[in-house]
Amino acid sequence: MHIITRKSEIQELLAQCLNSYHTNGLDACLTKFYNLILLRKVKFPLLEFCGKTLYSELNETEHIPFCDKIQSLKTEGGNVVLGIILQCRLEDNFEESLSKATEYIADADIWYVCDIIGERVFGYSLLHQPKKTIPEIKKLSHHEANWVIRSLGAGTHYAIKKGLDKEHVQTMFQILLSMANTKDKEIRQGVGWAAKTTAKFHPDIIAYFSTEIDDTVNVANWFRTKINIGLNRNNYAKRN
């Protein structure tokens, strides 16, 4: 299958979609976008470019209807696009963006939906608006859908990797600890990923919580294993 890797190529295809939008409306644009872009293999940075361009070009009242339709089509690339549109809406539509991200992720039928949207919405929001986002993540950590909880781990991983302030990393690690005894495979994947990243970038936070981490009643072995992997990567990076 041909993979679209050049910005010039995606710009040409996106221009056709936008021309349909300005000529015949949102539904025409969606049909073009699905056929020309979402049915093809496109590098994620180019899909992110599409998301930002669509956010700028579409009428604000049509952002969410567009995202709803893209989500219903169940394509991998569509998650990147709607994740970026929601990300762009965070500043002015914070609650709605988190709510729609949660809705889309809860409806997922495969793991990558959680990770793609989780990083681009929850992770980005945590990185840029931590004081506002952390209470929302804490609430969502009790969500009934395991996909949603997994996505919080993906988002936390993203924010830490991109430089989340240490005080907020410490707060997030406490939330991770509250889920460290789960037996759910999907939650373990997300929470374990975030725990590993915490250990890699902030081993002193791991040391600070050593007593809690060593509590075999409330913290399962899988969580300690992920932390040890992160600490080993931190040590390896120091050697190099």
Side-chain angles (χ1 to χ4, degrees):
M1 178 186 284
H2 172 64
I3 301 175
I4 298 175
T5 60
R6 292 182 293 114
K7 191 172 183 180
S8 58
E9 186 174 0
I10 203 69
Q11 283 176 315
E12 288 180 16
L13 297 174
L14 187 57
Q16 295 181 51
C17 302
L18 292 172
N19 183 58
S20 291
Y21 171 68
H22 292 300
T23 305
N24 298 306
L26 188 65
D27 287 343
C29 174
L30 278 160
T31 300
K32 280 276 191 192
F33 192 71
Y34 177 68
N35 289 319
L36 293 180
I37 295 176
L38 294 183
L39 288 182
R40 303 187 185 193
K41 190 78 174 173
V42 184
K43 291 289 187 180
F44 277 19
L46 297 180
L47 290 170
E48 291 185 334
F49 166 76
C50 288
K52 290 174 182 174
T53 304
L54 287 162
Y55 169 78
S56 299
E57 292 285 335
L58 298 182
N59 187 293
E60 185 180 347
T61 61
E62 293 180 309
H63 287 160
I64 297 304
F66 183 85
C67 289
D68 285 344
K69 180 62 176 178
I70 291 296
Q71 188 269 340
S72 73
L73 294 171
K74 300 288 186 182
T75 63
E76 182 177 3
N79 297 296
V80 179
V81 174
L82 66 85
I84 290 297
I85 293 175
L86 292 179
Q87 180 187 108
C88 291
R89 288 174 60 83
L90 276 166
E91 188 172 348
D92 296 324
N93 301 274
F94 178 79
E95 291 83 5
E96 182 186 49
S97 292
L98 293 189
S99 176
K100 292 305 290 188
T102 303
E103 176 188 324
Y104 297 151
I105 293 167
D107 191 50
D109 52 13
I110 193 167
W111 63 269
Y112 60 66
V113 177
C114 316
D115 298 356
I116 290 171
I117 302 176
E119 287 193 14
R120 285 163 181 78
V121 182
F122 297 137
Y124 185 91
S125 185
L126 176 59
L127 179 63
H128 294 278
Q129 302 183 71
K131 291 182 179 178
K132 204 172 176 182
T133 306
I134 288 173
E136 299 304 318
I137 288 179
K138 190 169 184 179
K139 287 181 205 169
L140 289 172
S141 70
H142 301 288
H143 199 278
E144 61 184 4
N146 61 352
W147 293 123
V148 171
I149 302 174
R150 172 178 172 139
S151 73
L152 303 177
T156 303
H157 156 79
Y158 171 90
I160 295 172
K161 183 179 69 171
K162 294 294 185 180
L164 180 65
D165 286 347
K166 190 173 183 177
E167 64 174 301
H168 301 307
V169 177
Q170 184 162 320
T171 301
M172 284 306 307
F173 189 73
Q174 289 178 289
I175 296 174
L176 297 175
L177 273 170
S178 73
M179 299 181 280
N181 207 25
T182 183
K183 293 180 172 57
D184 186 286
K185 173 181 173 290
E186 300 304 332
I187 297 175
R188 284 168 56 176
Q189 288 281 353
V191 170
W193 192 13
K196 181 171 62 178
T197 305
T198 303
K200 178 181 177 181
F201 289 95
H202 298 281
D204 50 333
I205 290 178
I206 303 303
Y208 181 82
F209 285 103
S210 60
T211 301
E212 290 88 342
I213 293 167
D214 290 337
D215 180 355
T216 55
V217 175
N218 294 308
V219 176
N221 282 332
W222 63 263
F223 190 83
R224 280 184 287 274
T225 298
K226 292 294 185 181
I227 284 173
N228 286 332
I229 292 171
L231 291 174
N232 287 337
R233 289 182 180 176
N234 176 270
N235 289 331
Y236 181 81
K238 285 180 181 176
R239 290 200 301 271
N240 288 279

